[in-house]
Structures are given as structure tokens and as C-alpha cells.
Amino acid sequence: MPKDTSPAYTNNQIIAFAAGKPSDCGSHLTLPGSTSKPPSMLCPKCKKPCRRRQELCRHLLSFHLPCSICCPYSPCPWRGDRKEDLQKHLKRQKCGPLKPKREQWEIYERSAILDWILNRGEPVEQVARYALGVVEERAREIEKVKEWGDLWGHQWKAARRHRNEQRGSLATAVDTPFVPPRPSAQSNMTPI
């Protein structure tokens, strides 16, 4: 049996490759023993394997971060994670015009939050806590504090958060405040 001479790669190298930064990890990246499958990335929180960066980002937004999109029309409490879901909601519920502006429906800048986790290595729990602060501020700004109630945005997200708190996974995030890195020049998100 021939010996596997494929180099082993770190998770950061695989993430860099998937992000299109071949100088960080080599443009010929393949997993050991594989030539046809794309590299697998692991969620930094739960270690779920994801084949593409987009899949990892969706996973983080769906399972580890509060909702980042809201219906901009009062008094609607709808929130979600995908623009397509907002469009479906607007068509179904007829809350207002079907094409609201980004600044109306965006609760926080998802790309900046994901950058802190994936590229800067910030702990998911601390970034989630920061995002919750932004959600709370946005709820006050658009006068939906009562409608939103649960800052996570979904009952199932709240239930998952509660289970995690019972296990103690968010206890360190409560005790250790997150100080976000300075926003990059391309980010228009300002820390609170």
C-alpha cells in the first residue's frame, strides 16, 4: 500500500484557502488522502464540518449568532438570517414595500461579525454577546423593544442559548466582556 504523502493542513490554512487567500496556505490545498473533495472547515464553536466558507458562515449565523435581519415595518416582530426569507415574509405578510433599503432591514453587519470569528479568531461566545448588544441597541433605535423581547430572534435560538447556558458554555462570555477589534477600513460597523 503506497504511503500517503499529502501534507496535513491546519484549520486556519483550510479557512484561508476557502476564503481565497492561497498565499496563506498554498494554492494546491487538498486534504490528506483526497484529491477530489473540497477541504473541510470546522465551526470554531461546535466543530461541525463545513465544506465551503459560505456553509460555515450560514451555520454560524443560524446556530451561534442572533438574527441579523428584521422586517423594517412596524409593528412587525419578524427577524431572520437570510435575505430570501425576508423577501418571502414581505410577500406573505404584506407589511410594506417588497424592496426595503439595506439600512432598514439590517440589524448588524454580518460580514464584520463573521470576520471577527473566522479571520481574527475571536471566541464565538464573546462575539455573540457583542452582537446581542448591537441587537438591543437597534431594537431601541427602531422602537421594537417590546416586539423583539428575546434578543436572539427565534424561540429555537433562545431555547438553544438556554441549554448552552445551563451547560455553562456562555458563562465565561458573561464574566469576560468582549472588546471588539477596531473596525477595518472596509467595515462601516462601529463598536458600541
Side-chain angles (χ1 to χ4, degrees), residues 41-108:
M41 297 172 277
L42 298 177
C43 169
K45 171 79 173 139
C46 68
K47 307 302 181 211
K48 177 190 186 296
C50 300
R51 294 242 178 250
R52 299 179 301 144
R53 182 177 176 89
Q54 178 185 10
E55 183 183 343
L56 178 57
C57 291
R58 270 192 185 167
H59 168 77
L60 286 165
L61 289 166
S62 295
F63 292 97
H64 303 302
L65 295 169
C67 290
S68 58
I69 294 174
C70 69
C71 179
Y73 307 110
S74 282
C76 184
W78 184 91
R79 285 182 286 163
D81 296 312
R82 297 184 181 182
K83 291 181 253 183
E84 308 86 55
D85 291 342
L86 172 62
Q87 289 302 314
K88 288 177 191 174
H89 164 76
L90 292 173
K91 283 181 183 177
R92 222 179 16 247
Q93 300 300 321
K94 300 187 183 353
C95 296
L98 293 180
K99 299 270 185 193
K101 294 179 182 173
R102 178 182 205 103
E103 58 268 7
Q104 293 177 298
W105 55 260
E106 186 175 64
I107 299 173
Y108 61 85

Side-chain angles (χ1 to χ4, degrees), residues 6 9 14 17 28-41 50-52:
S6 301
Y9 294 98
I14 293 170
F17 175 77
H28 61 284
L29 179 65
T30 59
L31 292 176
S34 172
T35 55
S36 61
K37 291 183 181 177
S40 191
M41 297 172 277
C50 300
R51 294 242 178 250
R52 299 179 301 144

Side-chain angles (χ1 to χ4, degrees), residues 83-159:
K83 291 181 253 183
E84 308 86 55
D85 291 342
L86 172 62
Q87 289 302 314
K88 288 177 191 174
H89 164 76
L90 292 173
K91 283 181 183 177
R92 222 179 16 247
Q93 300 300 321
K94 300 187 183 353
C95 296
L98 293 180
K99 299 270 185 193
K101 294 179 182 173
R102 178 182 205 103
E103 58 268 7
Q104 293 177 298
W105 55 260
E106 186 175 64
I107 299 173
Y108 61 85
E109 189 179 338
R110 300 175 324 168
S111 60
I113 295 291
L114 292 169
D115 177 65
W116 291 344
I117 295 169
L118 298 176
N119 297 332
R120 298 181 187 198
E122 299 293 342
V124 175
E125 295 90 352
Q126 291 180 347
V127 175
R129 190 150 255 345
Y130 174 79
L132 285 170
V134 175
V135 170
E136 185 175 24
E137 183 180 306
R138 180 78 166 134
R140 282 191 301 261
E141 180 184 301
I142 62 174
E143 300 177 356
K144 288 193 176 188
V145 174
K146 184 178 178 182
E147 289 88 349
W148 287 3
D150 167 40
L151 296 177
W152 282 86
H154 291 299
Q155 288 179 342
W156 57 270
K157 278 192 175 185

